[in-house]
Amino acid sequence: MAQQLVDAGAPGVIVRVDDGHGRPVEIAEQAPWAAKDQRLKVGDEFRMGSNTKTMMATIVLQLVAEGRLALTDPVEKWLPGQVPNGRAITLRMLLNHTSGLFDYTEDPALVPSILGKDPHRWTSSELLAVGVTHPPLFAPGTQWSYSNTDYAAVGAVLERVTGTSLADLIRDRIARPLGLKHTYLATDGSWHGAYARGYEPDSAHMPAGVPAAFQDVSGVDRDGHVNVSGNDPSWGGAAGAVVSTAQDWSRFYTALMSGRLLPAAQLAELRSTVPMDPGNPVNGPGSGLGIETGTTPCGTIWAHDGGITGYSSVNLTDSTGSRTATVLVSTEFLFEFGADAKLVAADQALQTATICAMFGKAAPAAPAAQATTQAH
C-alpha cells in the first residue's frame, strides 16, 4: 500500500510497523523522479512536525514529577504579562488544547516562514506573541481546539523554568537517555545525518485546492516539485521542529508508554483525556497531554501526527508501548489543505492497514475513518 500512495502522487513513503513479535516490518518507496535527488531509506531523518508536542509534554511532566512545575500552575506564574487572561489558563490547558488560544500558524505573519521565504529565527516568546494578538476562541477550559500557540507557551515556560534551550532539553532528557542518535530539535535548516528530501508541488503544478497564499514555495526545483528540505523549520519551535526517524520514534513511544520516561502518576496524567469531538464526547477521539487516543477497527491507539512544509507523519502505539507504527510521507500541503482527494484516500488506506498490522490483524475491506488527529 505504500507503493499505492506513491502511485497516487506521494514523492516518498516510509512505513515501519512493530507488532511486538519478531522483526519489525520496514518499507521505503519513492517516485522515480524523487530518486534523482536521493534514494530514500527507512532510517532517514524526517521532520516530525507536531509529533514534537508529545516530547514537550513529556518534559513538562518530568518537571512536574521533580516538583518544579504543577499542571495547575497558571501561565501567568511563569510568563507574567505575556498571555491575556493568563491567570485562568493552566499548564494542563496548554498541553491538552483547552486554553482557547488562537493558533499562531493561522496568522499571515507566519506564511513567509512556512513557505521558506523568511530567514527569521522565531523564538517561543515571539510565536506566542503572534498567537495572543488574536482574541481567544473560547473561555479557558470550556472547549477543545488544537492550537500551536499552546505549545509556543509551553516552550516559553520550559525555557523560563529550566534556563535551558528546548534543543538541549530534548537532547538531555529524551534523546541521550534513550540512545536516539537521530532525534533533535531543529534550530535551522541543517540536518545531522542522512535525511529524507521533502517536496511540495511548484507553483505551476500546485492544485487549486491549496490557498493562494501557499501556492509558491521556495526551494530547489525538481520535476514539477520544489525540494524544501533545506528550508528552515525553526518556526515550528516547541510545536513542531523535532527531527527524528521511524525507529527512534518507536523507541521513544515504547519508553514513554511503558513508564521509563515518566513515573506512574505523570503517565496517568498524560493519558487523561478531554473529548476532541463535541458531537461524540464519549466514544470519539480524546486529547491527552501531547498525545491523542481513539478507537479503530483493529484496536485502541495512542498517537499524534505532524505536518510541516514537505513532511507529513503519523506515529502510533498501543497503551503499553509494546506495539508501535509510523507512516512518513515526504509532502504536506496536499494533505493539510485536502487538495488531492486521491492522495488523501490512499494515505488513509495506508494508515488503516498500518494500524491493523501493528495489532497483528488484517485491515478491514472497506475504508475506515481515521482516529488520529486532523490538525498539524
Side-chain angles (χ1 to χ4, degrees):
M1 298 193 81
Q3 183 60 54
Q4 292 175 16
L5 184 52
V6 171
D7 293 342
V13 179
I14 294 171
V15 180
R16 187 180 193 275
V17 181
D18 187 346
D19 65 2
H21 303 283
R23 189 180 184 88
V25 174
E26 297 181 324
I27 299 167
E29 302 285 357
Q30 70 184 139
W33 63 263
K36 297 174 187 177
D37 279 341
Q38 166 234 18
R39 177 61 65 182
L40 188 66
K41 298 181 178 63
V42 294
D44 285 343
E45 293 180 358
F46 204 90
R47 290 180 182 156
M48 289 291 184
S50 284
N51 288 284
T52 299
K53 295 176 175 68
T54 313
M55 289 189 170
M56 292 297 163
T58 299
I59 294 171
V60 170
L61 288 166
Q62 288 176 338
L63 293 171
V64 169
E66 295 164 15
R68 300 172 69 182
L69 287 173
L71 293 175
T72 54
D73 283 348
V75 179
E76 182 70 14
K77 176 178 179 178
W78 299 109
L79 305 175
Q82 292 188 47
V83 179
N85 202 21
R87 288 185 178 84
I89 298 173
T90 65
L91 292 185
R92 184 190 296 278
M93 292 175 192
L94 297 176
L95 293 170
N96 67 12
H97 298 294
T98 58
S99 71
L101 294 178
F102 177 89
D103 187 339
Y104 74 78
T105 64
E106 300 292 328
D107 189 292
L110 267 292
V111 172
S113 294
I114 293 170
L115 297 177
K117 297 176 181 290
D118 181 2
H120 179 70
R121 300 269 167 80
W122 293 87
T123 66
S124 297
S125 294
E126 287 174 338
L127 294 169
L128 174 60
V130 170
V132 300
T133 60
H134 298 263
L137 305 180
F138 48 81
T142 62
Q143 298 181 46
W144 180 90
S145 182
Y146 192 91
S147 175
N148 288 290
T149 305
D150 289 335
Y151 278 75
V154 166
V157 169
L158 287 174
E159 290 164 336
R160 173 74 182 272
V161 171
T162 66
T164 305
S165 71
L166 299 178
D168 285 354
L169 288 172
I170 291 285
R171 180 194 66 198
D172 296 340
R173 287 181 169 267
I174 294 176
R176 281 185 176 168
L178 299 182
L180 309 183
K181 297 185 187 223
H182 299 281
T183 297
Y184 53 94
L185 189 86
T187 56
D188 56 33
S190 64
W191 300 78
H192 293 185
Y195 62 93
R197 273 55 170 179
Y199 302 90
E200 299 296 350
D202 64 22
S203 57
H205 297 86
M206 189 73 78
V210 174
F214 294 89
Q215 290 272 333
D216 185 20
V217 184
S218 290
V220 180
D221 291 341
R222 169 63 73 187
D223 290 272
H225 294 77
V226 179
N227 180 341
V228 300
S229 51
N231 293 5
D232 189 337
S234 58
W235 56 270
V242 160
V243 171
S244 191
T245 65
Q247 183 177 33
D248 270 12
W249 209 274
S250 171
R251 193 174 298 172
F252 165 63
Y253 261 176
T254 296
L256 176 62
M257 302 303 278
S258 68
R260 180 175 171 186
L261 288 172
L262 294 174
Q266 281 68 50
L267 184 56
E269 295 284 11
L270 181 100
R271 292 172 170 154
S272 177
T273 63
V274 295
M276 295 167 59
D277 180 1
N280 190 10
V282 177
N283 298 315
S287 176
L289 307 188
I291 197 166
E292 296 164 6
T293 188
T295 57
T296 78
C298 291
T300 298
I301 58 169
W302 290 87
H304 212 292
D305 73 352
I308 192 165
T309 315
Y311 299 87
S312 296
S313 54
V314 60
N315 290 294
L316 310 120
T317 186
D318 65 359
S319 62
T320 66
S322 60
R323 300 172 184 265
T324 61
T326 291
V327 178
L328 308 176
V329 188
S330 55
T331 194
E332 198 255 341
F333 282 12
L334 303 183
F335 296 118
E336 179 74 22
F337 301 109
D340 187 326
K342 182 179 177 184
L343 191 70
V344 170
D347 182 59
Q348 290 178 341
L350 176 59
Q351 287 192 32
T352 297
T354 299
I355 291 167
C356 290
M358 183 180 79
F359 286 109
K361 299 178 181 179
Q370 296 302 298
T372 51
T373 173
Q374 297 297 306
H376 287 37

